[in-house]
Amino acid sequence: MEFSELIRTGQAQAELLRGPEMPPLRGTLCVTGHHLLLSPGPQATPDLWLLLLRSVDSIEKRVAGDAGTITLRCKDLRVLQLDIEGVEATLDIARSIEALSSLESVITSFPFFYRPKGLRLGESWHFHPPERYYKRVARETRAWRLSEANEDFSLCPSYPRAVIVPRTVDDDALARSARFRQGGRFPVLSYYHAPSGTVLLRSSQPLTGPQKRRCAEDEELLQAVLAGARPGARGFIVDTRSAQAAKQARMTGGGTEAKSAYPGWKRLHRPLERGRPLQESFVHLVEACGDLEQSMDRWLSRLDGCHWLSHVKAALSTACLAAQGMEWEGACILVHGAEGTDSTLLVTSLAQLILDPLSRTMAGFQELIEREWIQAGHPFQLRCAHSAFSHTRPKHEAPIFLLFLDCVWQLGRQFPLSLEFGEGMLLALFDHSYASPFGTFLCNSEKERCLCEVRTRTHSLWSGLNQPKEQRKLRNPLYAPNPLAIWPSVEPQSLRLWQGLFLRWTHPPEPSEVAWEKVWQIATDQEKTEGSQPTDSASEPQP
Amino acid sequence: MFFGPSKLYEFWLPRAAGSVTQHGSSRQPIFAFLNEEKFDVDGWMVYNPVEEYRRQGLPNHHWRITFINKCYELCDTYPALLVVPYRASDDDLRRVATFRSRNRIPVLSWIHPENKTVIVRCSQPLVGMSGKRNKDDEKYLDVIRETNRQINKLTIYDARPNVNAVANKATGGGYESDDAYHNAELFFLDIHNIHVMRESLKKVKDIVYPNVEESHWLSSLESTHWLEHIKLVLTGAIQVADRVSSGKSSVVVHCSDGWDRTAQLTSLAMLMLDSYYRSIEGFEILVQKEWISFGHKFASRIGHGDKNHADADRSPIFLQFIDCVWQMSKQFPTAFEFNERFLIVILDHLYSCRFGTFLYNCESAREKQKVTERTVSLWSLINSNKDKFKNPFYTKEINRVLYPVASMRHLELWVNYYIRWNPRIKQQQPNPVEQRYMELLALRDEYIKRLEELQLANSPKLSDPSTSPSSPSQMVPHVQTHF
C-alpha cells in the first residue's frame, strides 16, 4: 500500500500530554496510514488512544539530548504534546505525520476505509434528498417545480442534480440564466415560507460586466418568482457585498442586478466578511484564546480586536433582515454575493432557522445543512483544508461554516428551549467539517462527490450521529417545540464568545458537565414517570 | 453633568418599588417604617448568631462566645455577640481594641469543620507613621495561630494594594510588620477602595445608559475595569478559601476599617468553603452575619433617604459582592439553591427601603431604632415565596469547595442586571429554562405522587391494614408541587 512509503518508522516509546485537565498517557506510539496510535503498557487501561491524522493542523518538532517533543495542533483547536524517546524516532514520526496529514487525494482518505460496526454502507445517504423538500413545497403551492436540468451537472457544476425553480420557467430558460450567473448558479428556491406565501432564493452574482449586459431569461425568472407569490408582490435582493464592491465586480465580469432590468425588486447591500479576512479573524481569535500568558486585563479589547463577534453580529443581522422581509413585509428575497457559495448560504440557512420551526428539530437541522450547505455547493474541502493553526499561507480557507455554527449557538443561547439539538451537535459538526471518518463533508460539490462515489463508498455522518448512543451528547433535553419565529438580539451585549468551542480545551469542563447530566436526569425522569403512568391520566386535571 | 451615586442607581430601580420617602432633611420616616405588609414567615427569625455558631461547632476547646460587646461598648460597629480565642480574656480584648481601627478586633467568622483552621476578620492595626507596636495585639494574633497546634505561621490578607496600606500610616493606620508579628505572613490582595469601585460602576453606567455603546463594546467594557475589580475580589477570596481548606493556616482578613473589602472576602470565601451558605436560608444568614451584623455601612454606602447623591461615602460594595456570587453561580450551575432572580430581588430591595433589612450602618443603630420590631425583613418576602427563587438544577453537595475561575476569559458582565431596563434587549421573562424546569419538576412530583397512591391502592395485602391508613404521611413522602 502506498501509505507505507510515507511511514518512516514503525513505533516509538512516548508520553502524551493532553492539556491541564487530563492525565498524561505513556505507551507505544505508532503511525498508521490514517491514525496516530498510542498503546499504553499492559498494566494500564487497555484503551488505545487514537488520533485521525487528517485532524492535525500543524506540527512542530524539537529535539534535545536523546529525546524529542512533537507538538500537534489539531483542527478541532486541541493542542497535544508528545514526548518521544530517541531523536531519530522523533524526526521520523514527525515527518510521517506531516506527510500523511496533508494528503490531498480524496479517495485515499479515511472515510473510504472506515467501516464501523452496526452501520451499513449507503444507508443514510438518501436521508435528506431535495425531492423530499420539494414535496413539502409542492404541498403548499403550485408555483414551483423540481427541475432536473442539471442532471449531468452541465448547467452548474456546484448545484445538485435537481433544483426547485418557478413552474413557468422552462429548462432552456434556466440554461440561459445559468450562463448569465457566475459558476452557473442561477436563482433557485432555498426556502418556502408558508405563512406569508413568500420565498427565499439564492444565486451567484449576475455577469453584467462593464457593459452592463442583461439576460432576458434571468429577468423573466425573477419576474416569475414574484408572479408566483401573489399579484403585486415585491422582492428584495440582499447583496452580501457593499455597493462599492458590487460595482467594482463589474470590472472582472461580475456585477449586480440593475434596477431598471428587474422591476419589483429592490437591492439592499449588507456587506459580510468572507475569505482571507474572516480566516484571519478566526486565527487571531484562536491565538488570543490559547495565549494563557497574556496579561488578562487586556483580554476584552483583544477579543474586540479579533472582530469575530462583529462578524457574528453582521451575519445574524443580515439573516434577520432577510427573514423580516419575508415574514413582515411579505416580500420575496434573493440572496447572493459573488460566487454564492459562502456568505449567501450563511444568510439563507440562518434565515430559515429564525423562521422555520421544522429546521430547529434534529432531523430538520440535518436536512438544512445537507440542503443549504452540502448540496448547495459550499466548497468544504477548500474552506476547511486548514483550521486556525496552520502555518501554510491560506489559499481558500475560510471558517464560514464555523461562523454559521457560532450564529446557531447564539440563537440557542438566546432561545434555550427552541432548538432540539444542543451545543454537542454544533461541536460535532465543527469537528467533522474539518476532519472526519465520515464522507458527508468530503469534496466541494455534488458533482465531485459523484465522481468519487462518496455515497456508495463512505458512511454518512448522519447515520453516525443518529445512532441512539450518540443522542445524549447531541440533543437539547430542554427542547419544547416553538411554532414562532425566533428573532435574536444582535446588540453587542447579547452576543457572547462561544466558550464551549473556543475555550473547549483550556477550561475545566466539569461543572457544566455536571449541570448537563442533571438536566438530562430531570428530563428522563419526567419521561419515565410519564411513560409508566396508567392511561387514565387524560381524564384527570393537569397540575 | 455629574451623576451622583444614588442617581446612578435610580435607573436600576423598578419604579414600583421606588417609593422611598425622604428621611432626615424632610423629616419623613423611611418607607420601611410605614410598610404594613404581612407575610407568612418572619424573616427576622432567620439569623440567630448563637445557632449559626453552634452549627459551626462553636464554642469548642479553643474558641468561646463572648458577650463583652453586649451594649456595644467595646466596638460600636460590631455585633453584640462575638467569637474569640478561649485563651484571650475580656481584658485582653479591650487592650487589643485600642490598637485596631474603630476597635474592630480580630474575631472569628468561620471555622473549618475538620482541620479547624479559621477565618478571622478585623480592621487595620493603628501602626501610624512612627510604626507603633502593641504587645497585646501581637500576642492575641499568636493566640489565634496557636488554636491550631500544627501551624507555625498565621496568614494575614490585607485586602488593599500595598501602596494604599502604606499611605494609611499617615492617618494612623497601617499593617502588621514582619518584625512585630514573627509568626505571621502578610499578603496584599490589591483590591481598590470604595471610591475606585464607585467610579468604575459609573463608567459601566455610562456605556449602557441611556444607550448601549455599540462600537467597540468589549473595549469600552474593559475600560470601565469593573470586571477586573470583580476578578481581584474573587481571586482574593479564592486565596483565603484555599489556605483554610488545605489546612495550611488560619487566615486573618482586614482592609482599612474592615467593613467593605473585608466583608466581601470573608463572605465569598465562606460561600466557596461551606455549602450551607449556598442554600437560600444559608445565604440569607451569610448576608445577615458577615454584612449586616458586622457593620457594613449600608446607610452610608447606599444613602437611604439622603439628598446628597455625591457623598464620597457612597459605593456599590455590596452590589459588587452579589455580582461575584452571580459569577460563581454561572460557573457552577448546580451548586446554588437560589436563582438569578433571588440575587436581583436582594439588590432591588437594597435600594428600595421597603424592608428594614438593609437600613442603618450597624447593629447598635438598628437596635436603637427597633428595626426588627418596626419594619418587615426582606427575608419574609423571599421565604414565604421560596419556590420563585429556587434553582431547578440545584444538587446538594455537602463537602464540595468551589473554586471559580477568576480569569477575565470566564467573567461576564451581568447583562440581566445592569442592562435589564434597556428596551432593545429582548427579555424572556421569566427565564424560559427555569420556567420549563419548574413545570417538569412539578409534573414529576405529581406523577410520583399519583404512582405512589396507585401502588398504595393496588397493594392492600402488603401493608397491615391497621397501620397504613393511620400513617399516610409516612407512606407518601411529602410532595411539593410548585404551583
Side-chain angles (χ1 to χ4, degrees):
Chain A
M1 188 176 208
E2 57 191 287
F3 296 126
S4 58
E5 295 159 24
L6 300 169
I7 300 171
R8 302 287 189 109
T9 182
Q11 54 188 54
Q13 290 304 308
E15 184 170 57
L16 170 72
L17 304 170
R18 299 174 288 175
E21 299 303 321
M22 305 259 265
L25 273 184
R26 171 171 279 290
T28 309
L29 190 70
C30 177
V31 184
T32 72
H34 294 112
H35 288 97
L36 189 62
L37 306 174
L38 189 85
S39 155
Q43 74 280 14
T45 50
D47 287 347
L48 268 186
W49 177 83
L50 205 72
L51 178 75
L52 193 60
L53 286 171
R54 186 85 211 145
S55 65
V56 173
D57 205 24
S58 86
I59 170 165
E60 223 176 80
K61 49 181 186 284
R62 257 193 346 264
V63 288
D66 58 354
T69 299
I70 294 179
T71 306
L72 299 176
R73 292 190 167 76
C74 301
K75 289 174 181 166
D76 60 8
L77 310 181
R78 235 181 326 170
V79 179
L80 303 166
Q81 188 185 318
L82 284 162
D83 293 326
I84 298 170
E85 289 171 19
V87 173
E88 261 325 285
T90 306
L91 296 177
D92 282 346
I93 284 176
R95 266 182 235 129
S96 314
I97 296 175
E98 232 160 326
L100 288 162
S101 63
S102 56
L103 284 180
E104 287 194 355
S105 150
V106 172
I107 53 163
T108 58
S109 66
F110 184 59
F112 286 84
F113 299 87
Y114 182 51
R115 295 294 175 259
K117 261 186 252 163
L119 294 183
R120 276 209 326 252
L121 270 181
E123 219 170 26
S124 279
W125 279 110
H126 292 283
F127 197 50
H128 307 293
E131 290 79 6
R132 180 175 320 165
Y133 184 69
Y134 168 68
K135 275 187 198 132
R136 218 175 111 191
V137 176
R139 265 205 303 277
E140 316 261 354
T141 164
R142 309 216 23 90
W144 297 86
R145 69 187 181 92
L146 193 69
S147 165
E148 296 190 348
N150 200 39
E151 178 65 37
D152 54 358
F153 304 109
S154 58
L155 254 52
C156 171
S158 62
Y159 271 172
R161 293 178 195 274
V163 289
I164 305 169
V165 295
R167 182 169 285 278
T168 52
V169 177
D170 62 23
D171 285 356
D172 288 343
L174 291 181
R176 282 198 203 93
S177 172
R179 281 200 287 280
F180 184 62
R181 295 275 175 178
Q182 182 174 3
R185 295 176 70 92
F186 52 92
V188 295
L189 180 134
S190 151
Y191 170 58
Y192 172 71
H193 185 237
S196 67
T198 58
V199 293
L200 181 63
L201 307 161
R202 50 180 162 74
S203 70
S204 61
Q205 64 178 344
L207 301 173
T208 56
Q211 298 89 26
K212 300 192 184 172
R213 277 188 294 131
R214 292 174 58 168
C215 168
E217 287 79 4
D218 192 74
E219 291 163 19
E220 277 160 26
L221 197 161
L222 287 189
Q223 215 50 57
V225 169
L226 294 187
R230 99 184 107 77
R234 290 182 305 144
F236 290 105
I237 296 171
V238 178
D239 193 323
T240 63
R241 302 162 296 177
S242 66
Q244 181 68 17
K247 206 176 255 174
Q248 268 172 1
R250 276 200 224 130
M251 306 313 293
T252 51
T256 187
E257 291 83 355
K259 213 175 181 177
S260 55
Y262 297 87
W265 288 90
K266 189 174 177 233
R267 217 171 59 227
L268 302 166
H269 291 277
R270 288 292 180 278
L272 296 182
E273 205 61 89
R274 65 199 87 202
R276 179 81 55 89
L278 192 64
Q279 176 71 12
E280 273 163 14
S281 169
F282 176 40
V283 170
H284 289 154
L285 177 59
V286 170
E287 239 170 51
C289 291
D291 184 358
L292 296 175
E293 262 96 86
Q294 187 231 314
S295 132
M296 278 301 181
D297 42 345
R298 304 279 302 134
W299 162 250
L300 288 175
S301 50
R302 191 162 173 193
L303 190 58
D304 222 6
C306 298
H307 301 299
W308 181 261
L309 287 173
S310 21
H311 301 322
V312 170
K313 179 187 160 83
L316 278 173
S317 337
T318 311
C320 282
L321 175 84
Q324 278 167 10
M326 299 174 76
E327 174 151 305
W328 296 357
E329 313 266 331
C332 296
I333 308 285
L334 167 66
V335 184
H336 71 69
E339 292 160 318
T341 54
D342 294 290
S343 41
T344 303
L345 306 180
L346 181 64
V347 174
T348 57
S349 53
L350 285 175
Q352 293 179 50
L353 275 167
I354 292 169
L355 290 174
D356 184 7
L358 272 180
S359 69
R360 296 180 222 133
T361 62
M362 187 59 125
F365 186 59
Q366 294 177 6
E367 195 245 75
L368 182 77
I369 287 170
E370 184 72 33
R371 184 165 49 83
E372 286 297 285
W373 287 90
I374 296 167
Q375 306 211 15
H378 177 66
F380 278 99
Q381 197 184 333
L382 291 173
R383 297 290 179 261
C384 302
H386 283 288
S387 169
F389 289 125
S390 172
H391 299 304
T392 58
R393 235 174 101 79
K395 289 185 292 246
H396 304 289
E397 289 83 354
I400 288 275
F401 187 62
L402 168 61
L403 185 59
F404 164 72
L405 296 175
D406 196 331
C407 291
V408 179
W409 179 82
Q410 308 278 353
L411 280 175
R413 208 188 68 80
Q414 293 187 24
F415 299 91
L417 311 185
S418 297
L419 306 182
E420 195 183 7
F421 46 92
E423 184 180 47
M425 177 70 178
L426 301 174
L427 290 174
L429 288 171
F430 167 71
D431 293 348
H432 285 284
S433 67
Y434 278 89
S436 172
F438 297 99
T440 296
F441 289 111
L442 289 179
C443 302
N444 294 305
S445 63
E446 236 359 68
K447 184 183 178 184
E448 289 182 20
R449 276 185 287 272
C450 280
L451 286 172
C452 296
E453 300 173 88
V454 168
R455 279 169 184 254
T456 47
R457 296 178 52 195
T458 74
H459 285 283
S460 155
L461 173 64
W462 311 130
S463 58
L465 294 185
N466 291 336
Q467 295 175 90
K469 61 174 180 179
E470 302 287 333
Q471 295 305 300
R472 214 174 164 93
K473 273 193 303 212
L474 308 175
R475 279 184 191 270
N476 172 13
L478 299 171
Y479 176 63
N482 172 2
L484 304 172
I486 49 172
W487 301 106
S489 162
V490 295
E491 301 294 308
Q493 69 276 12
S494 305
L495 302 176
R496 298 285 158 81
L497 176 72
W498 184 5
Q499 296 201 348
L501 183 113
F502 293 105
L503 301 176
R504 176 160 43 150
W505 310 107
T506 50
H507 184 245
E510 195 225 326
S512 56
E513 270 170 18
V514 171
W516 194 240
E517 256 323 297
K518 177 82 182 171
V519 170
W520 267 108
Q521 191 197 324
I522 298 176
T524 28
D525 278 5
Q526 191 241 345
E527 272 165 29
K528 260 188 230 151
T529 45
E530 261 183 349
S532 66
Q533 189 58 20
T535 44
D536 66 337
S537 62
S539 60
E540 286 176 39
Q542 286 299 303
Chain B
M1 269 307 291
F2 185 73
F3 279 92
S6 307
K7 193 119 189 186
L8 168 69
Y9 306 134
E10 253 169 30
F11 70 98
W12 289 326
L13 269 180
R15 292 282 165 237
S19 35
V20 184
T21 49
Q22 282 298 315
H23 180 62
S25 46
S26 61
R27 293 179 192 289
Q28 280 192 48
I30 282 177
F31 178 68
F33 290 102
L34 304 173
N35 184 7
E36 291 182 6
E37 281 175 285
K38 297 273 181 288
F39 292 98
D40 302 343
V41 192
D42 182 6
W44 293 122
M45 306 299 285
V46 163
Y47 178 57
N48 174 338
V50 175
E51 266 175 38
E52 163 57 17
Y53 288 121
R54 190 179 300 145
R55 184 191 69 86
Q56 294 190 24
L58 297 167
N60 63 15
H61 290 316
H62 295 291
W63 295 92
R64 66 186 178 95
I65 288 177
T66 171
F67 292 92
I68 183 176
N69 203 35
K70 203 167 103 193
C71 305
Y72 308 104
E73 278 165 337
L74 177 78
C75 170
D76 59 353
T77 57
Y78 261 5
L81 195 145
L82 299 169
V83 175
V84 295
Y86 193 81
R87 283 177 49 212
S89 70
D90 282 0
D91 282 339
D92 290 337
L93 300 180
R94 284 192 194 93
R95 284 195 296 272
V96 172
T98 62
F99 191 63
R100 290 280 164 178
S101 174
R102 320 255 178 188
N103 304 334
R104 293 171 70 93
I105 58 165
V107 295
L108 179 142
S109 271
W110 190 77
I111 184 163
H112 193 285
E114 272 128 42
N115 66 37
K116 303 294 178 198
T117 54
V118 294
I119 298 177
V120 166
R121 63 182 291 172
C122 59
S123 62
Q124 63 181 340
L126 298 174
V127 175
M129 293 298 269
S130 56
K132 266 182 290 180
R133 290 177 57 168
N134 180 310
K135 286 285 168 214
D136 296 299
D137 191 71
E138 289 162 24
K139 199 182 121 210
Y140 183 72
L141 285 193
D142 218 38
V143 167
I144 291 176
R145 178 185 64 82
E146 283 174 352
T147 58
N148 266 73
R149 295 254 169 248
Q150 62 275 37
I151 286 162
N152 44 28
K153 283 268 187 199
L154 181 71
T155 306
I156 303 172
Y157 283 112
D158 187 326
R160 300 167 293 185
N162 194 341
V163 282
N164 295 27
V166 174
N168 258 290
K169 286 188 177 178
T171 52
Y175 53 89
E176 293 82 356
S177 68
D178 288 344
D179 319 334
Y181 299 84
H182 298 294
N183 296 326
E185 42 185 355
L186 178 82
F187 300 97
F188 294 101
L189 294 176
D190 290 324
I191 301 169
H192 285 280
N193 61 25
I194 60 166
H195 311 294
V196 175
M197 301 310 180
R198 179 178 62 235
E199 295 313 309
S200 173
L201 183 67
K202 198 177 290 167
K203 285 186 195 149
V204 173
K205 191 225 82 179
D206 287 341
I207 64 163
V208 303
Y209 186 82
N211 296 307
V212 173
E213 171 71 44
E214 285 249 0
S215 55
H216 306 296
W217 160 250
L218 293 173
S219 305
S220 320
L221 180 58
E222 181 175 283
S223 67
T224 69
H225 298 291
W226 181 253
L227 290 178
E228 214 180 306
H229 296 313
I230 296 274
K231 184 189 85 174
L232 284 170
V233 173
L234 275 174
T235 311
I238 290 169
Q239 291 184 55
V240 174
D242 179 52
R243 278 276 144 170
V244 171
S245 138
S246 62
K248 280 194 202 101
S249 74
S250 285
V251 169
V252 175
V253 182
H254 70 72
C255 45
S256 299
D257 288 319
W259 50 43
D260 291 309
R261 286 166 279 196
T262 300
Q264 288 180 329
L265 290 169
T266 56
S267 55
L268 284 170
M270 286 156 76
L271 197 62
M272 291 170 194
L273 290 163
D274 190 339
S275 61
Y276 175 66
Y277 296 125
R278 298 174 215 143
S279 66
I280 289 179
E281 278 207 6
F283 191 77
E284 293 167 356
I285 287 169
L286 183 69
V287 169
Q288 204 70 47
K289 175 177 186 301
E290 287 303 296
W291 290 85
I292 298 172
S293 85
F294 271 95
H296 173 66
K297 301 205 292 176
F298 282 103
S300 306
R301 295 290 174 260
I302 309 303
H304 289 135
D306 191 336
K307 270 186 180 164
N308 187 3
H309 296 314
D311 195 296
D313 252 355
R314 309 282 179 265
S315 191
I317 299 301
F318 185 73
L319 161 63
Q320 193 171 47
F321 158 71
I322 295 288
D323 193 332
C324 291
V325 176
W326 178 81
Q327 305 281 355
M328 283 178 68
S329 73
K330 278 266 120 176
Q331 294 191 19
F332 300 97
T334 59
F336 295 86
E337 192 193 6
F338 47 84
N339 57 18
E340 186 178 50
R341 186 185 301 151
F342 175 74
L343 299 177
I344 291 180
V345 164
I346 290 177
L347 288 177
D348 283 347
H349 295 300
L350 171 64
Y351 304 114
S352 78
C353 291
R354 180 172 150 197
F355 301 101
T357 303
F358 296 117
L359 297 183
Y360 302 102
N361 282 333
C362 54
E363 201 176 282
S364 61
R366 254 170 246 123
E367 204 145 286
K368 218 167 106 199
Q369 297 292 339
K370 300 196 168 58
V371 168
T372 53
E373 294 160 43
R374 294 169 58 208
T375 71
V376 180
S377 161
L378 167 59
W379 316 130
S380 305
L381 170 84
I382 288 175
N383 293 356
S384 54
N385 248 313
K386 256 189 183 168
D387 286 342
K388 258 170 79 181
F389 302 104
K390 274 188 181 161
N391 167 17
F393 308 123
Y394 178 53
T395 314
K396 209 167 170 181
E397 285 172 289
I398 302 300
N399 287 322
R400 181 160 177 222
V401 181
L402 303 183
Y403 293 113
V405 183
S407 131
M408 286 301 285
R409 280 184 173 86
H410 298 284
L411 299 179
E412 283 178 40
L413 183 72
W414 189 4
V415 170
N416 284 355
Y417 180 71
Y418 298 110
I419 323 187
R420 64 181 155 145
W421 304 118
N422 188 313
R424 295 179 69 182
I425 295 232
K426 264 184 232 85
Q427 267 242 290
Q428 302 192 355
Q429 284 282 9
N431 180 339
V433 179
E434 277 172 16
Q435 183 68 29
R436 176 104 175 109
Y437 265 86
M438 285 307 182
E439 288 168 22
L440 291 183
L441 283 176
L443 255 174
R444 183 182 66 168
D445 290 347
E446 178 66 23
Y447 283 133
I448 289 174
K449 189 174 129 192
R450 268 197 248 159
L451 203 67
E452 276 161 355
E453 282 166 2
L454 285 169
Q455 281 169 349
L456 221 63
N458 289 340
S459 53
K461 308 182 279 280
L462 293 177
S463 55
D464 185 356
S466 62
T467 58
S468 73
S470 62
S471 56
S473 61
Q474 282 179 329
M475 300 301 289
V476 184
H478 177 64
V479 175
Q480 211 176 14
T481 47
H482 298 275
F483 293 99

